């Protein structure tokens, strides 16, 4: 099993930046692909970004390309989401997720087996 704990959310003005972190338990972190998703009230949980198990491949939603950057440090069992040029539309709960490497899609909520509790990001205009 993998336990995930997100941190780094908060309130920021439009145009600002935040860096989210997701710390994973367990010694097999490097065998999991990692993803970030977000969910606004009343809406579905949507894909934001993902990174492959060794960090060699990254994937982004069109809405965040060029503004967000996902990275991982397998020695620290941590995945990051650097968010720049934030917009009010980025306001949501942000969730870290893990799926076994070589399985499923990077983009689908249903493809991820483990989820964190989420961290709130609020962007004011």
């Amino acid at each position: 099993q993998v336990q995930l704990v997100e941190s780094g959310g908060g309130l920021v003005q439009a145009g600002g930046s935040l860096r989210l972190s997701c710390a994973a338990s367990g010694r097999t972190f490097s065998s999991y692909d990692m993803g970030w998703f977000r969910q606004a009230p009343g809406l579905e949980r949507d894909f934001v970004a993902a990174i492959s198990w060794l960090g060699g491949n990254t994937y982004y939603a069109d809405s965040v390309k060029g503004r967000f950057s996902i990275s991982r440090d397998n020695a620290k069992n941590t995945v990051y989401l650097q968010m720049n040029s934030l917009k009010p539309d980025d306001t949501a709960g942000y969730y870290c997720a893990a799926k076994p490497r070589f399985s499923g899609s990077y983009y689908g909520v249903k493809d991820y087996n483990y989820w964190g509790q989420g961290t709130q990001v609020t962007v004011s205009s």
Side-chain angles (χ1 to χ4, degrees), residues 26-89:
R27 293 177 288 181
T28 59
F29 176 72
S30 60
S31 65
Y32 287 87
D33 298 323
M34 299 298 297
W36 285 97
F37 290 76
R38 64 187 181 187
Q39 186 170 20
L43 299 179
E44 294 184 348
R45 190 166 293 188
D46 290 331
F47 170 79
V48 175
I51 188 166
S52 58
W53 58 293
L54 289 179
N57 295 298
T58 57
Y59 308 86
Y60 297 95
D62 288 344
S63 59
V64 306
K65 278 181 183 176
R67 299 189 299 122
F68 290 13
S69 178
I70 188 170
S71 61
R72 68 189 294 163
D73 185 338
N74 285 347
K76 295 183 178 179
N77 281 13
T78 303
V79 62
Y80 305 97
L81 185 67
Q82 178 67 44
M83 304 186 296
N84 299 327
S85 302
L86 282 161
K87 306 174 181 179
D89 284 349

